[in-house]
Amino acid sequence: MNRFLLIAALATLGSAASAQTYSGTLGPGDDTLDTGEYLDEYAVSAREGQAVTAVVTSEAFDTYVLVISSSGEQQDNDDCTQGDLARSCATLEAARTGRVRIGV
């Protein structure tokens, strides 16, 4: 099974970050992207100006992460560092208060 770990951190300039951790698996029965890859989606609440950082790790597959704000801005990443197939990370600053979706 394609197991992964997602850490979603929320930070505001001048204050401590808070983080939520999720573990999951990707495989048959999951939603898929238009290109066929499996997709699990998570949501966090962010305030305007808050940075949302998502880090996905897995030893089972080449990770990819999407961070999408409530107003439609998107950041995505395939590898935190070039050649590091086991870890992807993306950061997005919320333009307004609302739900931020994170896709693995």
Side-chain angles (χ1 to χ4, degrees), residues 30-41 64 66 74 104:
D30 284 338
D31 289 336
T32 57
L33 296 172
D34 292 340
T35 50
E37 294 93 343
Y38 295 120
L39 172 70
D40 278 358
E41 196 169 90
Y64 192 84
L66 304 153
Q74 176 177 314
V104 176

Side-chain angles (χ1 to χ4, degrees), residues 2-4 26 33 37-38 56-65 77-89 103-104:
N2 294 316
R3 295 184 180 278
F4 65 86
L26 291 174
L33 296 172
E37 294 93 343
Y38 295 120
V56 177
T57 59
S58 177
E59 296 299 322
F61 61 94
D62 181 4
T63 59
Y64 192 84
V65 65
N77 180 267
D78 188 22
D79 303 320
C80 289
T81 56
Q82 189 161 348
D84 182 2
L85 303 179
R87 192 168 66 111
S88 298
C89 49
V104 176

